[in-house]
Amino acid sequence: MSSGQRIKNILIGIAIILGALILIAFPEEGIILTASILSISLFIYGIKTLIYYVTMARHMVGGRIMLYLAVVVLDLGMFTMMLTNIPKIYIVLYLVVVYAFAGVVSILRALEAKRYQAPMWKLSLISGIINVVIAILCIIFMRSTNMIVYLYCAGLIYSAIVRIVTAFRETAIVYIQ
C-alpha cells in the first residue's frame, strides 16, 4: 500500500467515524440518512466501476464481469434511493440484509485467505462475524429505531477503526530478481 493510499484510508476512516457520531446525535433521522448515504455510496461505486470497465476492463480477460458488477451496483443504489419513501421497517430490513450479506462475504473471504495462509485472515474473519452479529441484533431490536441506529453506528465505528489499523500495517513487498 502506498503512502497516498494509507492517507486516503485514514481520512476515510475518520470520515466514517464522524458520520457515525452524527447519526448517534440524530437517531430519529438516522435510518433515512443511512439509506441515503448507502444509496449515494452504491451509486458512486457503480459509476466508478462502469468507468473502469469502459477504460480498462473491457480489454481484459473476464472484464465483462466488471460491467455486470457496475450494472448491479447501480441498480442497488437506485433501489436504495427509492426506499426512502416507504415505511421505515422495510428500510431497516433492507439495511440489515445488506449488512448481513457484507458480513458473510467477509467471513468467506477470510476463510479463503486462511486457506492460502494470508496473514490478515483473522482480522477479516472477526470483522465479518461482528457484521453478522450486528445484523442479528438489529433483527432482535427491530421495533426500536434508535437502537438499530446505535448498533449500525457501532458497526461503522468498528469498520472505520479496522480501516485505520489496516492503513498502519506493513504490507508485504514481493521482489522479482
Side-chain angles (χ1 to χ4, degrees), residues 12 15 31 69 97 142 176:
I12 290 173
I31 292 178
L69 178 67
V97 167
M142 184 74 70
I176 300 174

Side-chain angles (χ1 to χ4, degrees), residues 6 10 120 123 160-170:
R6 290 179 195 275
I10 291 170
M120 291 285 290
L123 187 62
I161 290 172
V162 167
R163 182 181 285 265
I164 292 171
V165 167
T166 304
F168 284 113
R169 285 193 163 209
E170 280 188 35

Side-chain angles (χ1 to χ4, degrees), residues 34-111:
T34 302
S36 299
I37 291 170
L38 181 64
S39 67
I40 291 169
S41 301
L42 286 171
F43 196 73
I44 289 171
Y45 180 71
I47 296 283
K48 182 178 163 185
T49 307
L50 191 60
I51 290 171
Y52 174 69
Y53 169 76
V54 170
T55 56
M56 289 185 63
R58 67 182 170 151
H59 303 294
M60 297 169 24
V61 174
R64 203 176 280 175
I65 291 174
M66 296 307 288
L67 175 65
Y68 299 147
L69 178 67
V71 170
V72 168
V73 170
L74 280 171
D75 284 345
L76 279 175
M78 286 188 261
F79 177 70
T80 307
M81 187 78 68
M82 297 301 158
L83 281 179
T84 57
N85 298 330
I86 63 173
K88 287 183 181 180
I89 191 77
Y90 297 117
I91 297 172
V92 169
L93 285 173
Y94 176 71
L95 292 175
V96 165
V97 167
V98 168
Y99 214 72
F101 181 74
V104 169
V105 168
S106 184
I107 290 170
L108 292 175
R109 282 185 179 170
L111 294 176

Side-chain angles (χ1 to χ4, degrees), residues 106-138:
S106 184
I107 290 170
L108 292 175
R109 282 185 179 170
L111 294 176
E112 181 183 17
K114 180 184 177 189
R115 197 173 327 127
Y116 292 119
Q117 299 170 347
M120 291 285 290
W121 71 271
K122 292 177 186 174
L123 187 62
S124 182
L125 180 68
I126 291 171
S127 176
I129 290 171
I130 287 176
N131 284 346
V132 171
V133 167
I134 287 175
I136 291 170
L137 288 174
C138 284

Side-chain angles (χ1 to χ4, degrees), residues 7-25 33-34 37-38 41 99 127 131 134 149-167:
I7 292 170
K8 177 183 163 188
N9 277 337
I10 291 170
L11 291 177
I12 290 173
I14 291 171
I16 290 172
I17 290 173
L18 290 175
L21 293 176
I22 290 171
L23 285 176
I24 289 172
L33 188 60
T34 302
I37 291 170
L38 181 64
S41 301
Y99 214 72
S127 176
N131 284 346
I134 287 175
V149 170
Y150 296 145
L151 287 169
Y152 186 73
C153 289
L156 284 177
I157 291 171
Y158 174 75
S159 129
I161 290 172
V162 167
R163 182 181 285 265
I164 292 171
V165 167
T166 304

